[in-house]
């Protein structure tokens, strides 16, 4: 009996001690669970602050988000041909005012921001930016902004003449130096229009991530272009503008950017914020202030952009009629042109930034005969937004461009690639430390493949759909739309309510998140970066991002296949102005 009791006691001891031996491994998960929960609270609190910032910015009238002091010089809303644009003069950088850092012997720089859905400021919303580098190099700097709402009925021609008045005013203030036009993204083609219209302008033009050749490159290189083709052309933008009571909501363009590469714009952005909730808050909020300010375009503007440029490709072909008196011809440009593009840019790939050169000038001799100097520079990896907002790009590429202006103007006519070696720590060193070279290139080497024939068919389909929509559908939508309905649709756009739902003003529960997050910050002791649970979390999140990237690539491949099936061998052909069939697609 005693032995039996002893055996029972032994068994009981073994059964009770085994869980105790496992208890430390179970407790090891408690610090990670606590750390993840605290980071989740900080993550939600950051989204709350982003939403509150967004609402506050809208209530302030959405002023430009510039990291520099400025004064308003001209307001185009008061012009004879009004437009919602204005010219600013940058007056202070940090503690330095205009008189302290400007060399009047240097040409003035006019930075024109893109009106592509977001508000102005992308060229100067932090110190290491295009504006900051230009002021650092001693250039007088002017900045072109635009207001939230367009003037009713505003057209591209109205905007063009407003910009021309701005450039004329800057030239008047600096009579000895022709202004340097710095065009970002869509503002690049606006700068090109200024130099190519019937009056023309002098002074170098810098085109950063700017599309001028909308049909260059095969379809697979531009998923956004394929989506526009498969949706039937410009009628969709027309309908959105009609539903907006004559205004096109820029949130639609921002949504297109995010869905173009969702693994980065949607997943990785938030994963990075959650993973580094203690350190990424301010950087995230700074960028989101710019990214979440959505401006509008008039119905006339969005139709002019889609029909003349992105779908019609009339700018490259010399068919874009600015008004009754002038048709734009890029061959009129005699200004030195500097083109900055990136292989990592899937919104304006190098094909669309550079393809127009070979279209206008069949060979290098033709370019030289025209007396034109074109310099291009490419980045290997940076994305579209990085061209404008990356601090390292500003300190290196944009500073190099500004310091090389005199050398560019001194070049003989021809095509050149700007090449320089990046020493260790080069992004923070002076440009004079680099060996900047201008290497002669041949225009023939810029021959990009294209789906010219297919995209010409897309343009014709778009014209048919647009005519049908304008005749049979648009009048009914206009009659059913009111300012109140347009405002309701604006508020319900996913790019807005997915942000504002985290605001204290909309969601009372976020007040609890705010107070809890404040308490967490006071006592938080984050796990080390090399903690096994943290490493496992990072690996899981990275694999999820890779899966999203694979899905996106599959989507793009499917779009390419459908595009080829629909337009690769369309039953009717189009002709150019000369009556000859257009170039056939490389895919055909």
């Amino acid at each position: 009996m005693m032995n039996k009791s002893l055996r029972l006691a032994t068994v009981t001891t073994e059964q009770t001690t085994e869980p105790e031996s496992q208890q430390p491994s179970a407790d090891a998960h408690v610090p990670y669970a606590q750390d993840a929960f605290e980071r989740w609270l900080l993550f939600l609190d950051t989204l709350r602050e982003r939403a509150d910032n967004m609402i506050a910015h809208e209530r302030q009238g959405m002023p430009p988000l510039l990291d520099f002091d400025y004064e308003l010089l001209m307001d185009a809303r008061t012009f004879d041909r009004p437009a919602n644009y204005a010219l600013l003069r940058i007056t202070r950088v940090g503690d330095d005012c205009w008189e302290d850092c400007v060399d009047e012997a240097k040409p003035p720089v006019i930075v024109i921001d893109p009106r592509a859905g977001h508000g102005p400021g992308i060229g100067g919303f932090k110190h290491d930016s295009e504006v900051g580098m230009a002021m650092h190099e001693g250039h007088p700097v002017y900045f072109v902004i635009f207001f939230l709402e367009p003037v009713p009925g505003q057209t591209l021609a109205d905007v063009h003449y407003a910009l021309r008045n701005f450039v004329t005013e800057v030239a008047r203030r600096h009579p000895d130096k022709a202004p340097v036009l710095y065009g970002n993204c869509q503002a690049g083609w606006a700068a090109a229009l200024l130099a190519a219209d019937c009056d023309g302008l002098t002074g170098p033009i810098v085109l950063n991530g700017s599309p001028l050749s909308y049909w260059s490159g095969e379809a697979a290189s531009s998923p956004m272009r394929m989506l526009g083709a498969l949706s039937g052309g410009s009628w969709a933008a027309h309908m959105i503008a009609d539903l907006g009571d004559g205004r096109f909501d820029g949130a639609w363009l921002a949504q297109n950017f995010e869905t173009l590469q969702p693994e980065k714009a949607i997943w990785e952005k938030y994963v990075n914020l959650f993973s580094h909730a203690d350190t990424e808050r301010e950087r995230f909020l700074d960028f989101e202030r710019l990214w979440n300010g959505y401006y509008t375009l008039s119905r006339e503007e969005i139709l002019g952009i889609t029909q003349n440029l992105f779908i019609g490709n009339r700018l490259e072909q010399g068919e874009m009629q600015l008004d009754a008196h002038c048709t734009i011809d890029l061959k009129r440009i005699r200004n030195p042109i500097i083109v900055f593009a990136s292989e990592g840019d899937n919104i304006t790939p190098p094909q669309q930034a550079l393809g127009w050169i070979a279209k206008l000038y069949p060979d290098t001799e033709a370019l030289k005969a025209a007396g034109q100097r074109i310099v291009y520079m490419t980045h290997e990896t940076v994305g579209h937004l990085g061209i404008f907002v990356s601090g390292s790009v500003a300190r290196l590429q944009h500073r190099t461009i500004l310091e090389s202006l005199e050398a560019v103007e001194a070049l003989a006519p021809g095509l050149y690639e700007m090449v320089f070696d990046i020493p260790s720590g080069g992004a923070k060193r002076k440009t004079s430390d680099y060996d900047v070279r201008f290497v002669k290139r041949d225009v023939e080497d810029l021959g990009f493949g294209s789906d010219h024939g297919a995209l010409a068919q897309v343009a014709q389909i778009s014209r048919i759909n647009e005519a049908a929509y304008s005749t049979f559908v648009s009048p009914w939508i206009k009659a059913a739309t009111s300012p109140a309905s347009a405002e309701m649709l604006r508020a319900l756009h996913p790019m807005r309510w997915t942000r504002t739902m985290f605001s204290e003003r909309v969601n009372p529960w976020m007040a609890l998140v705010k107070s809890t997050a404040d308490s967490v910050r006071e006592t938080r002791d984050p796990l080390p970066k090399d903690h096994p649970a943290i490493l496992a979390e990072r690996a899981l999140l990275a694999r999820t991002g890779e899966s999203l990237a694979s899905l996106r690539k599959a989507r793009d491949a499917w779009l390419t296949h459908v595009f080829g099936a629909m337009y690769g061998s369309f039953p009717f052909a189009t002709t150019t102005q000369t009556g000859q069939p257009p170039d056939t697609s490389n895919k055909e």
Side-chain angles (χ1 to χ4, degrees):
M1 185 70 174
M2 185 178 297
N3 294 336
K4 183 177 180 180
S5 300
L6 182 61
R7 288 195 302 270
L8 288 174
T10 303
V11 172
T12 303
T13 301
E14 292 173 353
Q15 290 174 344
T16 56
T17 57
E18 184 177 1
E20 290 178 1
S21 65
Q22 295 175 352
Q23 190 65 34
S25 63
D27 289 343
H29 293 287
V30 174
Y32 170 74
Q34 178 180 341
D35 182 83
F37 178 70
E38 290 175 350
R39 282 187 286 128
W40 178 247
L41 282 174
L42 298 179
F43 173 81
L44 290 178
D45 190 54
T46 304
L47 298 186
R48 174 201 61 79
E49 188 170 353
R50 177 183 70 172
D52 289 342
N53 290 343
M54 179 177 176
I55 293 174
H57 190 215
E58 289 182 349
R59 291 181 176 180
Q60 294 168 3
M62 301 179 73
L65 296 173
L66 290 171
D67 192 31
F68 308 91
D69 293 344
Y70 57 84
E71 65 173 336
L72 177 66
L73 294 182
M74 301 180 75
D75 187 339
R77 293 176 297 184
T78 64
F79 290 178
D80 293 337
R81 297 184 64 167
N84 68 329
Y85 279 71
L87 176 67
L88 309 179
R89 182 176 75 111
I90 305 299
T91 59
R92 182 179 294 275
V93 182
D95 296 329
D96 296 328
C97 63
W98 177 284
E99 292 78 9
D100 297 330
C101 56
V102 166
D103 181 358
E104 292 290 352
K106 291 191 174 183
V109 173
I110 305 175
V111 179
I112 309 175
D113 253 9
R115 192 149 157 254
H118 300 97
I122 198 170
F125 88 107
K126 58 183 180 180
H127 187 77
D128 286 337
S129 60
E130 296 166 354
V131 172
M133 291 301 104
M135 291 291 282
H136 185 276
E137 293 301 313
H139 294 272
V141 180
Y142 298 83
F143 198 88
V144 175
I145 67 166
F146 42 88
F147 299 100
L148 176 60
E149 298 292 345
V151 175
Q154 177 176 302
T155 65
L156 290 184
D158 296 329
V159 173
H160 175 83
Y161 287 112
L163 296 178
R164 170 167 285 282
N165 288 338
F166 294 162
V167 176
T168 301
E169 172 62 17
V170 173
R172 184 190 67 79
R173 289 169 172 260
H174 304 271
D176 298 328
K177 294 289 183 179
V180 179
L181 298 184
Y182 226 87
N184 293 325
C185 188
Q186 292 200 50
W189 57 254
L193 291 181
L194 288 172
D197 73 9
C198 294
D199 293 325
L201 291 171
T202 59
I205 305 172
V206 182
L207 308 178
N208 299 307
S210 302
L212 292 183
S213 186
Y214 301 90
W215 289 1
S216 288
E218 296 186 359
S221 67
S222 184
M224 187 177 291
R225 186 172 63 188
M226 286 190 294
L227 285 172
L230 296 178
S231 65
S234 63
W235 75 271
H238 193 168
M239 183 181 69
I240 292 172
D242 286 344
L243 291 171
D245 198 32
R247 301 173 303 165
F248 183 90
D249 187 358
W252 290 101
L253 298 177
Q255 186 179 55
N256 285 341
F257 294 149
E258 290 202 346
T259 56
L260 192 63
Q261 205 166 8
E263 73 275 14
K264 291 186 177 294
I266 299 176
W267 177 255
E268 291 183 12
K269 178 172 70 173
Y270 294 108
V271 162
N272 188 52
L273 176 62
F274 170 73
S275 301
H276 306 88
D278 300 285
T279 58
E280 281 294 301
R281 179 185 183 89
E282 291 304 320
R283 188 203 64 80
F284 177 86
L285 290 174
D286 283 345
F287 179 75
E288 291 296 295
R289 286 187 181 94
L290 178 68
W291 185 251
N292 292 293
Y294 308 122
Y295 283 56
T296 59
L297 292 89
S298 71
R299 180 192 294 114
E300 293 78 7
E301 284 179 297
I302 192 64
L303 287 178
I305 292 171
T306 55
Q307 293 174 359
N308 286 296
L309 303 174
F310 288 93
I311 295 176
N313 195 36
R314 295 172 184 169
L315 177 60
E316 179 187 80
Q317 298 173 358
E319 300 173 358
M320 183 175 176
Q321 188 168 358
L322 186 63
D323 56 25
H325 307 289
C326 183
T327 300
I328 299 297
D329 185 357
L330 294 178
K331 288 184 178 181
R332 289 198 194 99
I333 301 178
R334 292 295 180 267
N335 320 49
I337 301 175
I338 302 174
V339 181
F340 179 25
S342 174
E343 297 289 347
D345 185 353
N346 61 351
I347 293 178
T348 305
Q351 297 94 323
Q352 294 185 24
L354 297 169
W356 60 276
I357 301 173
K359 294 291 184 180
L360 295 183
Y361 307 102
D363 52 40
T364 307
E365 293 305 316
L367 178 63
K368 293 179 179 179
Q372 181 58 278
R373 291 150 291 171
I374 300 177
V375 176
Y376 70 91
M377 175 173 54
T378 57
H379 195 287
E380 293 182 357
T381 58
V382 72
H384 186 71
L385 287 175
I387 293 176
F388 323 116
V389 305
S390 170
S392 60
V393 170
R395 291 189 299 268
L396 183 59
Q397 277 81 6
H398 290 301
R399 192 171 176 182
T400 301
I401 290 172
L402 291 167
E403 290 195 349
S404 303
L405 288 175
E406 290 186 4
V408 170
E409 294 192 80
L411 291 173
L415 178 67
Y416 302 85
E417 181 179 6
M418 184 183 294
V419 179
F420 51 89
D421 298 324
I422 305 177
S424 177
K428 296 185 179 180
R429 294 174 63 184
K430 294 183 178 179
T431 306
S432 57
D433 294 335
Y434 309 145
D435 181 19
V436 181
R437 297 173 288 118
F438 298 97
V439 182
K440 291 184 179 181
R441 301 298 187 194
D442 292 327
V443 171
E444 296 84 345
D445 296 335
L446 290 180
F448 297 111
S450 71
D451 293 280
H452 191 100
L455 291 171
Q457 295 167 7
V458 170
Q460 184 164 338
I461 293 289
S462 176
R463 288 191 292 270
I464 294 172
N465 290 341
E466 169 63 23
Y469 172 81
S470 298
T471 303
F472 301 109
V473 182
S474 179
W476 293 96
I477 292 182
K478 290 178 181 177
T481 301
S482 67
S485 66
E487 186 60 30
M488 180 186 67
L489 289 176
R490 180 181 177 276
L492 292 177
H493 194 284
M495 292 295 291
R496 287 192 178 85
W497 69 259
T498 57
R499 273 70 170 169
T500 56
M501 64 182 289
F502 292 101
S503 171
E504 262 187 282
R505 298 180 175 93
V506 176
N507 185 352
W509 286 103
M510 296 308 295
L512 177 61
V513 170
K514 181 179 183 298
S515 60
T516 308
D518 289 340
S519 299
V520 165
R521 289 190 186 92
E522 295 177 0
T523 59
R524 177 158 166 74
D525 183 19
L527 289 179
K529 296 179 180 179
D530 58 352
H531 190 281
I534 296 294
L535 296 177
E537 174 198 275
R538 302 289 192 271
L540 176 61
L541 295 175
R543 284 197 297 270
T544 304
E546 292 169 359
S547 299
L548 290 174
S550 298
L551 290 174
R552 188 261 305 167
K553 291 176 182 177
R555 178 202 68 184
D556 293 347
W558 179 81
L559 288 174
T560 303
H561 177 75
V562 174
F563 179 88
M566 291 182 62
Y567 297 105
S569 56
F570 211 72
F572 60 85
T574 58
T575 58
T576 63
Q577 276 191 326
T578 60
Q580 298 299 322
D583 298 336
T584 56
S585 166
N586 283 353
K587 289 188 174 184
E588 297 172 355

